[in-house]
Amino acid sequence: MSTQHTTSRRDFLKLSSLAGGGLLLGFSWFSSEAEVPTLLKAPPAGTMGFNSYLSISTDGVITISSPNPELGQNIMTSFPMIVAEELDADWTKVKVIQAPLDTKGFDRQLTGGSGAVPHSWNKLRTAGATARFMLIQAAAKKWNVPAEECTAANSVVTHSSGKQLGYGELAEAAAALPVPKEVKFKNAKDFKLIGTAIKNVANKSIITGKPLFGMDFYRPGMLFAMIQRPEAFGTKIKSVDSAAAKAMPGIVDVVVFQNNVAIVGKSTWEVAKARKAVKIIYEPDGAVESTADHDALFKSLLDTGTATVRRKNGDVDAAFAGAAKTIKRDYQCPFIAHAPMEPMNFFAHVREDGVELIGPTQTPASAQTATAKLLNIPEDRITLEITRLGGGFGRRLKFDYVVEAAELSKLINAPVKVIWSREDDMSGGSYRPAVRYRFEAALDAAGNLVGYKCRGVGINAGNPTREDNFPSGAVPNLLIDCIEHKSAITTGPWRAPITNFLGFAEQAFLDEVAEAAKKDPVQFRLELLEKAKAAPVGEIKYDINRMITVIKTAAEKAGWGKLPGVSQGFSVYFSHRSYVAQVCNVLMQAGKPVVQKITAVSDCGQVINLSGAKQQVMGGIVDGLGHAMYSKLSFKNGAAEQKNFNTYRLIRMQEIPEVETHFIDNGIDPTGLGEPALPPTGGAVANAIFKATGKRIYTQPFIEDANFKTI
């Protein structure tokens, strides 16, 4: 691969201590196969075309420049752990720095879809193993001994005679050697770092308040801006009176653009005060919808809408016509906000010679492309520096806030940092789509599931189904279809897109079907999977054995059905290449069901950092429980009714149950973990509440479900 990397080169060399010489390896992160690292002389003569770099300096420091944005998924710890493992490095001498955007060097410089580690696993291992090989070769050459007599451990090469040399001492000699075309990876049984618990490398900086996040960024001379966007979706600006705001202290300008009004000034406090003085009148611009409209719409489309068939197996009509028993249930979820702790923000400086962008984004390349299109300039004239993200959950996959900062900078001809308030984030952002599902099941006289239907109706949801997920392939007659309604309300991916609610609906429904079939919920799922294994219906796009394993392990670890006085609910789900089964324990306290504990068993392939993995699972469960139980965003005349945390309910610390985590060690490569633990949570909780109360839940948030309200 021939590319150029021209941004922050000097900073990288400084941080990696390479100014004094050493070994620098470049490697491709995102090709389909791990590539042979290419040797760079240090210091390099000019820019070199690589996506990312492993460096070993003469003082023994090992540095990884990481391209993927870090938003709390622990990527900046896991990536160097993989390299350090294959390198046999001293972990105390490993550091990582954030790479800037390089669209020529990276083909997947983004964070989303739980895909970073699975995508980069072999590339990172190759980089570390190659460096280790070359260091051993360098030591063998210095000692004039066969390389086979040398071993590496803890950043030291040792000869069988006992002689030793540190990696820093060998770095320059290794740089003079040819790069091997093939290297051998370590056996998993020999891992010393991978699979252990390692503290997040940024913990100290975060705890001590180092300026890591976009909100922390400041440059002398920059202006600050807040933007008033339409208060209601489906409206546009009719008139703006900004005279009073412009006259206030510290205000530089009030700019109207793209249906927005930007208040620009010298401090956030002055801008926030002046914003309240701007008088804006809006008028309708298309459909202005309310939640009441959506409720009626859902019912109509479920009953009479024209659907797109996503999967069809067998003769569904005949199966239902001849069934001994049928079950039909509807499940509904509302819009919800992403609500990251750090609201949207971005710095932009549009100059004659180029554009500088700095801030938190999950999709830096898309932001750069959109900015180039807006300003009608080549992309290579735009640099983008990625700060740490204070949460994202999919909201920062969008880049509207980046583009508006660039456009405003051009309009005012000055560097500017645009800051969204919490109310901006909640009322003018991008939401999880509202969706309603209708599930139907047909059982024969023996309690076998012979027919299954699912229709999903979503508002700006695209395809709200996952037609190839379980139980597809396990039911002889199956129909999955969907309908979409287009709305002015903006939507986008929310952690575990679509499956975050679909997982609850599917698993709650299967639990009710198991009850109708007079079968244990765990055994009912296992029977279906065994049928799919023995006689698959259509294509199977999930791993049956991996799903069976997490189901059995979760039931065992949680003591399924063996805890007196405890009501248990079960759920299992496959998403983002990984499998998670959960058992929820509920106790009745003062006549109300209380979630006491959730046991989760995850199969995400090889666990890199046990500490990070546990946090991802626990975080996903807390996120899934909190939003299933409490969160809702409703609309009235196009405007969000919940604008801050005083009206938008999130889970509270005292409501978080005990979470017990387990991982399946099956020897396969990593398959992702940022999202898979969230989808099963709602189902496990709802099914446990049913066991405790005898009442099924069909609507999120649970606290608004008619059955839950009566508890």
Side-chain angles (χ1 to χ4, degrees):
M1 181 180 291
S2 177
T3 59
Q4 288 190 334
H5 188 117
T6 59
T7 308
S8 298
R9 183 66 171 170
R10 184 176 302 168
D11 288 344
F12 178 78
L13 294 177
K14 180 174 65 178
L15 287 167
S16 59
S17 304
L18 279 173
L23 172 64
L24 179 65
L25 289 174
F27 58 96
S28 172
W29 293 66
F30 298 116
S31 59
S32 59
E33 298 293 333
E35 293 186 359
V36 178
T38 303
L39 182 66
L40 305 180
K41 298 299 180 181
T47 58
M48 306 301 294
F50 298 93
N51 292 339
S52 195
Y53 306 94
L54 157 65
S55 72
I56 304 174
S57 66
T58 52
D59 63 3
V61 174
I62 300 159
T63 304
I64 292 291
S65 178
S66 175
N68 291 59
E70 171 64 80
L71 52 74
Q73 79 279 35
N74 207 45
I75 203 69
M76 293 186 77
T77 304
S78 298
F79 273 16
M81 281 181 66
I82 299 169
V83 176
E85 181 66 74
E86 289 294 345
L87 184 58
D88 275 315
D90 178 351
W91 178 249
T92 64
K93 295 182 178 179
V94 174
K95 66 168 65 174
V96 63
I97 59 175
Q98 177 69 61
L101 174 65
D102 179 0
T103 55
K104 294 181 180 178
F106 302 112
D107 62 351
R108 192 186 182 276
Q109 194 173 6
L110 60 85
T111 291
S114 304
V117 170
H119 197 90
S120 302
W121 169 246
N122 283 330
K123 293 84 172 171
L124 297 167
R125 298 186 74 187
T126 299
T130 301
R132 171 170 45 85
F133 178 91
M134 295 172 70
L135 290 159
I136 290 174
Q137 293 293 319
K141 188 174 181 180
K142 280 195 175 188
W143 293 325
N144 195 27
V145 298
E148 292 74 20
E149 295 179 0
C150 302
T151 58
N154 207 36
S155 291
V156 173
V157 177
T158 303
H159 182 245
S160 57
S161 65
K163 292 184 289 189
Q164 292 185 330
L165 285 170
Y167 283 3
E169 299 172 275
L170 293 167
E172 288 186 305
L177 299 176
V179 178
K181 293 183 178 179
E182 293 183 3
V183 290
K184 186 178 180 180
F185 290 160
K186 293 172 69 173
N187 192 300
K189 67 180 179 61
D190 298 321
F191 286 164
K192 296 181 178 66
L193 282 174
I194 291 176
T196 65
I198 301 292
K199 294 179 181 178
N200 189 304
V201 295
N203 276 355
K204 183 178 180 181
S205 295
I206 294 171
I207 292 170
T208 56
K210 292 294 189 296
L212 303 174
F213 301 90
M215 278 294 204
D216 299 324
F217 177 78
Y218 175 78
R219 176 169 295 170
M222 75 179 187
L223 297 174
F224 296 85
M226 300 185 81
I227 297 177
Q228 180 63 56
R229 299 162 192 85
E231 296 177 342
F233 292 95
T235 64
K236 63 181 179 180
I237 294 173
K238 182 177 182 180
S239 65
V240 178
D241 181 354
S242 59
K246 287 181 177 180
M248 295 178 71
I251 299 306
V252 174
D253 202 357
V254 176
V255 182
V256 180
F257 71 105
Q258 299 290 340
N259 211 27
N260 298 321
V261 180
I263 299 88
V264 184
K266 297 179 180 179
S267 74
T268 53
W269 177 247
E270 290 169 320
V271 167
K273 287 180 67 179
R275 179 181 184 175
K276 296 177 181 178
V278 179
K279 298 177 182 178
I280 309 172
I281 297 176
Y282 294 92
E283 60 185 355
D285 184 29
V288 179
E289 299 174 351
S290 299
T291 295
D293 301 322
H294 298 152
D295 290 340
L297 181 77
F298 278 138
K299 186 178 186 309
S300 173
L301 290 178
L302 277 175
D303 291 337
T304 62
T306 302
T308 299
V309 174
R310 296 294 178 178
R311 177 163 176 158
K312 187 175 183 180
N313 298 126
D315 190 335
V316 177
D317 291 339
F320 275 83
K325 183 182 294 186
T326 61
I327 306 97
K328 180 179 178 181
R329 297 289 183 264
D330 290 356
Y331 297 81
Q332 182 170 333
C333 72
F335 292 98
I336 57 175
H338 294 83
M341 284 296 95
E342 178 191 29
M344 302 305 105
N345 66 91
F346 229 82
F347 168 84
H349 190 187
V350 178
R351 309 180 307 268
E352 287 293 330
D353 61 340
V355 179
E356 185 180 17
L357 301 173
I358 301 173
T361 173
Q362 292 179 244
T363 54
S366 296
Q368 183 192 55
T369 298
T371 301
K373 183 177 180 181
L374 171 75
L375 302 177
N376 194 28
I377 62 174
E379 289 185 25
D380 60 11
R381 289 181 56 196
I382 302 173
T383 63
L384 194 153
E385 182 180 334
I386 309 163
T387 63
R388 189 179 178 94
L389 287 64
F393 314 109
R395 174 62 181 95
R396 287 185 164 99
L397 288 170
K398 290 202 167 188
F399 42 82
D400 51 313
Y401 59 100
V402 183
V403 175
E404 69 181 14
E407 184 170 8
L408 182 58
S409 175
K410 180 175 176 61
L411 289 171
I412 64 175
N413 193 29
V416 64
K417 182 175 180 180
V418 174
I419 297 175
W420 291 43
S421 67
R422 175 62 58 197
E423 287 79 5
D424 292 335
D425 231 23
M426 295 282 286
S427 61
S430 175
Y431 313 108
R432 179 188 75 174
V435 179
R436 185 177 290 186
Y437 294 100
R438 174 166 292 166
F439 288 89
E440 298 180 62
L443 297 170
D444 65 14
N448 296 308
L449 181 60
V450 295
Y452 183 89
K453 291 193 286 187
C454 169
R455 170 168 291 184
V457 178
I459 298 175
N460 293 344
N463 174 16
T465 72
R466 291 294 180 264
E467 62 271 14
D468 295 320
N469 278 10
F470 176 76
S472 293
V475 186
N477 306 287
L478 175 143
L479 174 64
I480 311 288
D481 59 24
C482 67
I483 303 170
E484 181 177 25
H485 170 69
K486 296 291 186 181
S487 171
I489 297 172
T490 54
T491 64
W494 189 94
R495 190 175 186 179
I498 301 300
T499 59
N500 55 63
F501 177 76
L502 180 58
F504 151 70
E506 286 183 350
Q507 290 299 304
F509 182 67
L510 283 177
D511 211 70
E512 191 163 356
V513 175
E515 180 196 15
K518 295 181 171 53
K519 295 181 180 180
D520 175 82
V522 171
Q523 290 304 315
F524 180 69
R525 290 167 173 82
L526 289 173
E527 286 176 14
L528 285 173
L529 287 165
E530 290 296 344
K531 289 178 181 178
K533 194 173 180 180
V537 182
E539 190 174 3
I540 302 288
K541 294 189 177 180
Y542 51 91
D543 190 312
I544 295 172
N545 290 328
R546 291 178 71 187
M547 185 170 277
I548 287 174
T549 299
V550 295
I551 289 174
K552 290 182 176 180
T553 307
E556 175 192 349
K557 296 294 184 183
W560 176 255
K562 299 177 182 178
L563 304 180
V566 176
S567 299
Q568 292 184 309
F570 185 85
S571 180
V572 62
Y573 212 74
F574 159 63
S575 67
H576 295 86
R577 302 169 298 276
S578 295
Y579 300 78
V580 181
Q582 295 179 15
V583 176
C584 174
N585 293 354
V586 163
L587 297 177
M588 294 299 292
Q589 296 179 359
K592 294 184 179 181
V594 176
V595 178
Q596 175 204 37
K597 180 180 179 180
I598 295 177
T599 302
V601 175
S602 305
D603 178 355
C604 60
Q606 175 66 58
V607 171
I608 307 303
N609 184 351
L610 185 58
S611 173
K614 287 182 176 180
Q615 298 303 320
Q616 285 293 292
V617 172
M618 293 172 70
I621 288 173
V622 172
D623 216 4
L625 170 61
H627 284 86
M629 188 73 77
Y630 304 112
S631 302
K632 174 184 179 180
L633 199 71
S634 58
F635 292 86
K636 186 174 183 179
N637 298 325
E641 294 187 288
Q642 297 78 23
K643 294 180 171 58
N644 210 318
F645 294 138
N646 61 326
T647 53
Y648 185 79
R649 178 79 153 85
L650 293 173
I651 193 169
R652 294 163 184 157
M653 291 292 289
Q654 68 268 25
E655 294 164 340
I656 296 175
E658 177 187 354
V659 177
E660 181 180 314
T661 61
H662 302 274
F663 297 91
I664 301 298
D665 182 6
N666 54 15
I668 68 173
D669 289 351
T671 56
L673 193 56
E675 291 155 298
L678 191 152
T681 303
V685 173
N687 293 337
I689 290 173
F690 165 73
K691 284 288 185 67
T693 66
K695 296 180 179 180
R696 295 282 181 187
I697 295 175
Y698 301 101
T699 301
Q700 289 187 4
F702 293 171
I703 57 172
E704 292 194 0
D705 185 275
N707 284 336
F708 194 86
K709 282 182 176 180
T710 62
I711 295 171

